Amino acid sequence: MHVHRFEKVWLGAALLLIVGFIATIAYGTVGVGVAMVDDSGGTIDAQAVANGETGTGFDDPGVVRQSEDHYVVYVVARQFQFVPGSGDDPIRIPADTRVTFRVTSADVMHGFSVAGTNINTMVIPGQVAELTTRFDEPGTYGLVCHEYCGAAHHTMGGSIEVVPQSEYDYEEVTN
Amino acid sequence: MVFVDAFPKTSKLVRSQFLVAFVALALGALFGIVQALHRTGVLRVISSADYYTILTGHGVLLALVFTTFFIAGLFAWAVTDSLERELPQRLAWGAFWTMLVGTVLAAVAIVGGLIGAPSILGHALKADVLFTFYPPMKAHPLFYVGAALIIVGSWVAGAAYFKSLWRWRSDNPDSRIPLRTFMVVTTMLMWYVSTVGVAVEVVAFLIPWSLGLVSEVDPLLTRTLFWYFGHPVVYFWLMPAYLVWYTVLPKLAGGRLLSDPLARVVFVLFLLLSTPVGFHHQYVDPGIPEGFKFIAMTNTMFLLLPSLLTAFTVVASMEHGARQRGGEGYFGWLRSLPWGNPAFAGCALAGLMFAAGGFSGMINAGMNINYLIHNTLWVPGHFHLTVGTAFALTAMAISYWLVPQLTGTRLRQRTTAVAQPYVWFVGMALMSNAMHRAGLAGIPRRTAEPTYDEFAFRAVGGSVAEMRLQIAVGGLLLFVGAAMFLWVMAATWLAHRGGQLSVNSDIPEPLSGPEHSPRVLDNYRLWTAIALLLIVIAYGPPLLGMIQNGLFAPGSPPIPV
């Protein structure tokens, strides 16, 4: 089989590009520690979530203070709101602390994405999505359901208020 | 001899398939412009709740019906013309009618949602579940039955190509399979392997569940079966475009394909690598261990290889053609290409846009940067370049060359045809660049009202209002482009026969012919076996993990739309 010299050079460059991409992603995972959403959240009964009978933090969703530097936020997504998050019930967390979101659905598939950041997960009934992050900058961040979830999907947004640690009301959250 | 005179039976079949494809294109384009204007707030003729019905129609009609029918027609032509024999008619027509019945059932279920949803068979006649139909959102059972019939019909269409090849094989035991047939058969093998996922999802789970025979399905498992098929389907759209770019485009440019063997290698790579990549659509899904996502990521990255090789060959073949026409210089040869020939211009512009789409696809494939753009407007920005341009514009362009051969009439409304690919190109450039940028700002896809009470999006460079304007103007140009194409087709189709056809249907030999390629390339058994092995490696363990606690658990009951 005859392969032209330019074709060989191109082939080599293409392979180099591909291996380079894989290497940067591997470095991101192993070196920098960019974590993926995976199966660490475990499974859950979606109907129990809907009825508030799971025996977990999802029965009374909100912010839980795990330790001085670690907060866990339980969020239930349902047609067509985040609890907490939507309307006049924003998710309130202190800046520059470790925050773990645990998100699940009470009905259909939803999305959970913080606009303009890489905090982004699918919310699948029966599964708990778990992701840990840190907000350095205080401010209001937009929360979006990015998976079509029914006729009023476009109303399903919310917000996260990141407050400087000095102004954070620790009494508000469950210990 | 013109194709219609040499193969009148298959010509009629191809015409029928194209007719359905073009009707789907017309309706899909209409739904598209309604959405673009609604979402950008320019003109609102529907309610925001109906937006999702329109969106479902747009996705199903264009991504499933237009593509599948056009491909079935193109492949029927490619196999018949390169093997020089009519297709087995009963099989081929059986496929056509199966696909058509499926299309009508699915369309009835979708349109039912717009006209007040009467109840049929005890279920509300609605199907606004979008092209991905994720459970537990439930459509009318007819929608799932229709989708299944379209897939089954495409399988039967493939059987007709295989039967034709077997007959040719017994007459020509020692010849190499002609390139176009080789490409069709490789594509169909990939299609058989990959559609198993969606067939199992729909037939084993969704149809019984939507009828109430099964009370719950596992949303993660069914979603995984969908994406097992959901990325390969992209290659089912692209490989026919590649068939055109490899076999007809070089000739339209005035030259010859560089290498037949490398074209075969590219198609074999697609057969091997297309399916074990679906998890890259599930990078942000809970319930799937990181390691399996990593395996899918490496496979996805290697799948760039056949497309990068294609970029080289297609550009080099165009350059060869341009130099045959007297083109000179490093870039000066570009001027010597036949930019006034709509078939050539459409294919070349489609290829150019595909390069841009390929780059945004590389971002999508990146496991960690995908988090920034997953399910944002970036994604439709990306696939309007790949499916909506690389495939759709190539399909339209090649129709300017192929339809006269199928009808025996000259291409009419030539001025409109010449301008059409450029209108599409400009419209898509405006719409997709704005969509990509909106995605970076976090604006989601699949929503009728991308503004929220709780906060406002912040654009990086430019403003949200300017992006919206670009999407509206781009969408309008695309609608005009589709209308121009359909106008040319209608005029050509309905014209009287007579006079010389201006197209020349001969396809010149490649510079390096099939005799230079190793025989092992034609060994379909071997390649299919390796493809299946790779799929078992990528999908076996995670699927086993999902069904460990039962096929239907953790389960969700249906939630009607």
Side-chain angles (χ1 to χ4, degrees):
Chain A
M1 180 166 149
H2 173 73
V3 181
H4 193 277
R5 188 166 53 89
F6 286 160
E7 227 159 5
K8 281 184 191 150
V9 172
W10 180 270
L11 179 67
L15 278 170
L16 207 64
L17 180 77
I18 290 168
V19 172
F21 279 152
I22 296 174
T24 59
I25 292 165
Y27 174 73
T29 314
V30 181
V32 188
V34 180
M36 298 288 119
V37 173
D38 60 10
D39 58 347
S40 59
T43 59
I44 196 164
D45 185 331
Q47 277 168 294
V49 175
N51 302 332
E53 294 166 350
T54 60
T56 67
F58 289 113
D59 295 345
D60 181 20
V63 183
V64 177
R65 188 180 182 196
Q66 206 77 11
S67 70
E68 203 156 301
D69 184 44
H70 187 199
Y71 290 75
V72 178
V73 189
Y74 287 88
V75 181
V76 173
R78 60 171 75 223
Q79 288 173 330
F80 297 96
Q81 56 179 330
F82 295 106
V83 186
S86 291
D88 51 11
D89 183 25
I91 297 170
R92 222 183 295 269
I93 43 171
D96 204 22
T97 47
R98 213 148 67 84
V99 178
T100 298
F101 290 102
R102 288 173 63 79
V103 193
T104 195
S105 164
D107 41 45
V108 298
M109 221 170 272
H110 297 279
F112 178 92
S113 145
V114 179
T117 74
N118 63 354
I119 301 165
N120 191 338
T121 184
M122 297 300 300
V123 184
I124 300 174
Q127 307 287 334
V128 177
E130 188 178 73
L131 44 95
T132 298
T133 186
R134 188 180 280 271
F135 291 87
D136 296 335
E137 293 290 321
T140 301
Y141 293 77
L143 188 59
V144 175
C145 169
H146 61 45
E147 187 54 77
Y148 165 66
C149 58
H153 161 58
H154 45 269
T155 62
M156 187 167 169
S159 57
I160 298 177
E161 282 179 11
V162 179
V163 199
Q165 282 188 8
S166 54
E167 295 168 25
Y168 193 70
D169 182 4
Y170 295 97
E171 301 300 316
E172 207 180 282
V173 302
T174 330
N175 279 294
Chain B
M1 188 141 74
V2 187
F3 188 77
V4 63
D5 296 323
F7 307 104
K9 288 181 186 164
T10 302
S11 288
K12 189 175 175 208
L13 173 78
V14 179
R15 285 201 303 271
S16 309
Q17 275 156 334
F18 279 10
L19 185 65
V20 180
F22 294 160
V23 170
L25 177 65
L27 280 171
L30 182 66
F31 287 0
I33 188 64
V34 171
Q35 274 175 76
L37 297 180
H38 182 94
R39 200 187 150 143
T40 51
V42 174
L43 174 71
R44 302 202 143 191
V45 293
I46 50 164
S47 72
S48 283
D50 282 339
Y51 176 90
Y52 303 105
T53 312
I54 298 284
L55 178 53
T56 306
H58 179 71
V60 171
L61 282 171
L62 292 183
L64 208 55
V65 180
F66 166 63
T67 52
T68 310
F69 275 91
F70 189 87
I71 291 165
L74 182 75
F75 279 7
W77 161 79
V79 170
T80 304
D81 197 48
S82 63
L83 297 181
E84 297 176 0
R85 57 179 60 221
E86 295 267 21
L87 278 187
Q89 293 295 306
R90 206 176 304 162
L91 264 181
W93 280 103
F96 173 77
W97 287 111
T98 310
M99 280 161 53
L100 189 59
V101 169
T103 302
V104 170
L105 292 183
V108 164
I110 295 168
V111 174
L114 279 182
I115 52 170
S119 187
I120 291 185
L121 301 169
H123 301 264
L125 190 62
K126 278 180 139 190
D128 24 354
V129 289
L130 308 195
F131 160 63
T132 42
F133 50 85
Y134 298 136
M137 212 178 294
K138 186 187 85 83
H140 192 277
L142 278 184
F143 175 81
Y144 302 111
V145 173
L149 284 177
I150 297 176
I151 301 284
V152 171
S154 73
W155 289 350
V156 179
Y161 315 143
F162 277 93
K163 199 168 175 190
S164 209
L165 175 61
W166 283 325
R167 286 184 183 162
W168 177 88
R169 193 31 113 205
S170 59
D171 296 343
N172 305 274
D174 297 318
S175 305
R176 297 302 295 264
I177 301 172
L179 182 59
R180 277 176 289 166
T181 300
F182 180 89
M183 290 172 157
V184 168
V185 168
T186 317
T187 307
M188 289 314 295
L189 282 171
M190 185 280 290
W191 182 239
Y192 286 134
V193 169
S194 70
T195 41
V196 167
V198 73
V200 169
E201 184 201 8
V202 171
V203 175
F205 293 104
L206 298 189
I207 292 177
W209 171 80
S210 67
L211 286 168
L213 304 174
V214 169
S215 61
E216 296 190 335
V217 292
D218 176 354
L220 179 64
L221 175 65
T222 43
R223 176 180 162 81
T224 303
L225 289 170
F226 180 85
W227 284 117
Y228 171 98
F229 139 93
H231 201 77
V233 71
V234 170
Y235 293 99
F236 184 63
W237 300 326
L238 278 182
M239 287 160 81
Y242 284 14
L243 182 150
V244 170
W245 296 352
Y246 273 104
T247 63
V248 191
L249 180 59
K251 161 230 169 64
L252 293 174
R256 293 153 68 184
L257 170 65
L258 245 50
S259 165
D260 169 299
L262 264 173
R264 286 178 204 247
V265 168
V266 163
F267 272 67
V268 167
L269 283 174
F270 278 125
L271 169 60
L272 296 184
L273 294 173
S274 285
T275 311
V277 298
F279 278 121
H280 77 230
H281 285 255
Q282 297 179 275
Y283 283 156
V284 307
D285 279 19
I288 300 166
E290 187 171 354
F292 300 134
K293 293 177 176 172
F294 202 87
I295 292 174
M297 183 277 290
T298 54
N299 287 344
T300 308
M301 290 296 180
F302 277 104
L303 193 48
L304 293 177
L305 188 63
S307 285
L308 287 167
L309 289 178
T310 303
F312 179 91
T313 311
V314 171
V315 174
S317 301
M318 287 203 298
E319 181 183 344
H320 171 75
R323 295 203 188 281
Q324 300 305 303
R325 300 164 63 93
E328 279 173 357
Y330 274 123
F331 294 104
W333 55 268
L334 282 165
R335 279 199 305 268
S336 304
L337 289 167
W339 295 105
N341 173 353
F344 171 82
C347 289
L349 292 176
L352 193 62
M353 281 246 146
F354 183 58
F359 285 117
S360 68
M362 291 176 194
I363 306 277
N364 299 343
M367 220 171 148
N368 34 19
I369 34 183
N370 176 278
Y371 275 68
L372 187 59
I373 48 83
H374 175 85
N375 262 0
T376 65
L377 208 46
W378 170 289
V379 177
H382 161 73
F383 67 65
H384 277 87
L385 290 180
T386 53
V387 184
T389 305
F391 173 80
L393 187 53
T394 300
M396 293 189 267
I398 207 62
S399 297
Y400 294 137
W401 180 77
L402 197 52
V403 168
Q405 300 179 51
L406 298 167
T407 56
T409 52
R410 291 182 65 144
L411 188 69
R412 303 296 159 117
Q413 302 297 332
R414 209 182 151 83
T415 317
T416 310
V418 169
Q420 191 268 343
Y422 297 93
V423 172
W424 193 272
F425 184 85
V426 173
M428 195 56 87
L430 290 173
M431 190 176 89
S432 80
N433 102 73
M435 282 178 156
H436 277 101
R437 288 170 45 228
L440 291 177
I443 298 178
R445 67 190 283 202
R446 306 185 141 178
T447 172
E449 314 259 356
T451 53
Y452 294 87
D453 294 338
E454 289 92 346
F455 70 99
F457 289 102
R458 280 182 290 254
V460 187
S463 72
V464 173
E466 156 262 326
M467 289 176 204
R468 241 180 241 159
L469 185 67
Q470 281 200 53
I471 292 175
V473 174
L476 197 61
L477 282 176
L478 289 169
F479 179 71
V480 170
M484 287 165 78
F485 167 73
L486 291 164
W487 167 243
V488 175
M489 282 298 118
T492 304
W493 208 293
L494 299 174
H496 290 291
R497 280 196 73 162
Q500 276 294 105
L501 287 191
S502 53
V503 294
N504 169 358
S505 60
D506 291 332
I507 293 178
E509 290 296 311
L511 288 173
S512 171
E515 64 282 1
H516 294 120
S517 73
R519 278 210 171 251
V520 66
L521 279 178
D522 291 4
N523 189 341
Y524 291 126
R525 261 196 210 116
L526 175 69
W527 303 123
T528 310
I530 299 177
L532 291 174
L533 182 71
L534 288 173
I535 291 165
V536 169
I537 293 171
Y539 268 95
L543 278 180
L544 280 179
M546 279 176 212
I547 61 176
Q548 252 166 10
N549 44 9
L551 276 176
F552 300 95
S556 287
I559 297 179
V561 287

